[in-house]
Amino acid sequence: MAEATQPTPLEDAPPTETHVHLRGSTLLVAGRVLALSIGFVTQVLIVRYLSKLGYGTFAYALAIVDLGAMVTRLGLDRAGARFLPMYEERREWGKFFGGICVLLTAVFGIGLSLAAVLVGLRDVLYPRLVHDAGASALLVVLAVMVPLQAYDEVLVMLLSAFVGARGIFVRKHLLGPLLDLAVIAVVIGWRGGARELAIAHVAAGVLGAVIYTAMLARAFSRRGLWDQLRLHRPVSTAREFLSFGLPLLLTDAMLMLRAVLAVVFLERLIGVSAVADYRAVGPTANINMMVQQSFSYLFLPAAARMLARGDRAGIANLYGRTTVWIGILSFPLFAVTCGLASKVTVVLFGDRYASSGTVLAWLAFGQIVNAALGFNIATLRTLGRLRVIVIADLAAMTIAVASYLLLIPSFGAAGAAAGMAVSQVARNAINQSALRDELGVRIFGPDLGRPLLSIAAGALVVLAFDRLLDPPLWLSLILVAALWIVLLRTNRRQLELLETFPALQRVALVRRLLGAG
């Protein structure tokens, strides 16, 4: 048992707002690990249970539904994440409730209309939109998910801003993943196929929406917001929301289209088997975003409230500290999914997906670029720098499409993944340049450069170890864990780990590992 010491001065010092944010966000990472564990089981069950053709058609239909849900939101959920915390900070209750009304009107008005179009015009649209007949049939079933998915995103934003870590944990990290797992369990029990999986997916979406709405209503009651609603009439914020949200619709569209077009080009140029190769490892690559996504729930409201107070220095400090934390905490995920991609793919999905190892490595590289550069895009959104975000997304879309057309015919799913990664690097480079001009944040400055370079060096060590020696997977995982401890130790000043969690200083083992005495 590690020895304990008396409380230290760090424990007595009042935490800064940034440290409070880091504590809550770090705790959410643990919840995210739970959600990913459940999600991995679900994904593996789906991929292994369905035929490769069945999984390819299901994944293709879901990609189209994702695009419809994005269009439904019109970027207004992003506007809500910026304005609603500011309205609460300024106690502008009329605008607060008016903004919520704008969000709900857009979600259900536009979402239900799109769902009706997908169902009513299926004979006209689908022959042009979808080459595979199986995917066309699933799109009819999943059309109702368009408004449901858009509404779910709005609920997540509201829970993040006004409920806090507990609400996020229950919604994102427990109930949601368990519902997804229950869906595939029911389908396997019924011996159903891709169509039955789509029906169960819709049913789970309806049930989840009911549960999460009740959670939010109780949270509003605890905060006394319903009392404010009785005292203040909603004031329309449609113009303010639309002027901010519509440009972001373009940036969301570019992001979603890059992913959807990769699937569309693969299906058209190669076939649904290539779609399966690409989509099967997508969730595995996405775990590189796990830490950033966990931090994002509390980052956006905190940055918006700082902006409402005019605290730009606080925003710069918040960005810098969270960037270091996200990068270092994400290192083990990147090292495994990129450096050990081939072995991980075979272990998770079997030999029939062995060729997807290269796909996973490329997708993981693109995702770690997004994660390790932190919230550059979210910070620019908070500051209102929408023009540069749109320019960056247009450039990324152009690069992605050109890469797909050039690489997919020769390299299939791996070419699509490489094109996606290159476009993500370009997008982040443009946005990071704008953030440097806005807040003076330099990605290769003394505070951020060392952590990012050490992450790259560690990943190269893992890759070289695997390629040159071909060790068993368990030995490579031990190396990853050892390198992570080295990174924590060498970047302890930038992390301010003991300042953020001063109670850790009482644990002698932690102090020795971090070289803190």
Side-chain angles (χ1 to χ4, degrees), residues 100-401:
I100 293 177
C101 290
V102 169
L103 288 171
L104 297 180
T105 299
V107 163
F108 289 109
I110 300 174
L112 291 173
S113 298
L114 280 178
V117 168
L118 287 173
V119 174
L121 299 181
R122 58 186 180 275
D123 294 334
V124 177
L125 290 177
Y126 292 177
R128 295 172 174 81
L129 184 64
V130 184
H131 181 68
D132 185 80
S136 297
L138 290 185
L139 270 174
V140 176
V141 177
L142 291 173
V144 71
M145 286 300 298
V146 171
L148 275 176
Q149 192 164 310
Y151 179 57
D152 184 76
E153 290 297 325
V154 171
L155 284 175
V156 169
M157 181 273 293
L158 293 172
L159 288 169
S160 302
F162 305 107
V163 178
R166 180 178 177 274
I168 299 168
F169 177 86
V170 173
R171 159 61 187 91
K172 293 290 290 185
H173 304 326
L174 187 60
L175 290 180
L178 286 176
L179 281 174
D180 292 337
L181 180 59
V183 164
I184 184 60
V186 169
V187 171
I188 292 175
W190 282 351
R191 299 184 181 275
R195 183 175 181 276
E196 288 73 21
L197 180 60
I199 294 172
H201 190 68
V202 172
V206 173
L207 178 59
V210 172
I211 295 173
Y212 309 144
T213 300
M215 288 173 54
L216 186 64
R218 287 196 299 269
F220 272 33
S221 179
R222 288 194 299 268
R223 294 173 70 95
L225 294 179
W226 297 129
D227 295 334
Q228 297 295 337
L229 178 59
R230 285 191 289 268
L231 296 174
H232 299 85
R233 294 182 57 187
V235 175
S236 175
T237 60
R239 182 174 182 178
E240 192 171 21
F241 270 46
L242 288 171
S243 63
F244 186 87
L246 285 178
L248 292 181
L249 175 61
L250 178 59
T251 189
D252 286 346
M254 296 298 102
L255 177 62
M256 183 66 69
L257 277 173
R258 278 188 291 140
V260 171
L261 285 178
V263 174
V264 171
F265 287 165
L266 283 171
E267 194 269 345
R268 286 283 182 173
L269 299 175
I270 307 294
V272 292
S273 292
V275 174
D277 287 334
Y278 183 84
R279 293 280 290 191
V281 296
T284 307
N286 288 342
I287 70 170
N288 288 283
M289 300 298 294
M290 179 192 74
V291 178
Q292 189 197 57
Q293 289 168 352
S294 298
F295 274 61
S296 69
Y297 301 127
L298 302 181
F299 178 89
L300 298 176
R305 291 185 172 98
M306 287 179 179
L307 182 64
R309 299 194 298 267
D311 186 8
R312 295 174 69 87
I315 296 175
N317 181 64
L318 182 67
Y319 169 80
R321 293 302 173 193
T322 55
T323 297
V324 173
W325 274 73
I326 291 168
I328 297 299
L329 293 181
S330 298
F331 168 77
L333 307 175
F334 174 54
V336 171
T337 56
C338 186
L340 308 176
S342 297
K343 291 179 179 176
V344 168
T345 301
V346 172
V347 168
L348 290 177
F349 305 113
D351 290 334
R352 60 179 176 160
Y353 283 97
S355 61
S356 294
T358 305
V359 178
L360 175 58
W362 275 112
L363 291 177
F365 174 73
Q367 294 291 38
I368 198 61
V369 170
N370 281 335
L373 293 183
F375 296 114
N376 50 19
I377 297 173
T379 304
L380 289 173
R381 282 182 186 140
T382 303
L383 297 172
R385 291 293 304 274
L386 303 183
R387 181 179 179 183
V388 68
I389 297 174
V390 172
I391 291 173
D393 283 307
L394 288 172
M397 171 59 72
T398 302
I399 292 171
V401 171

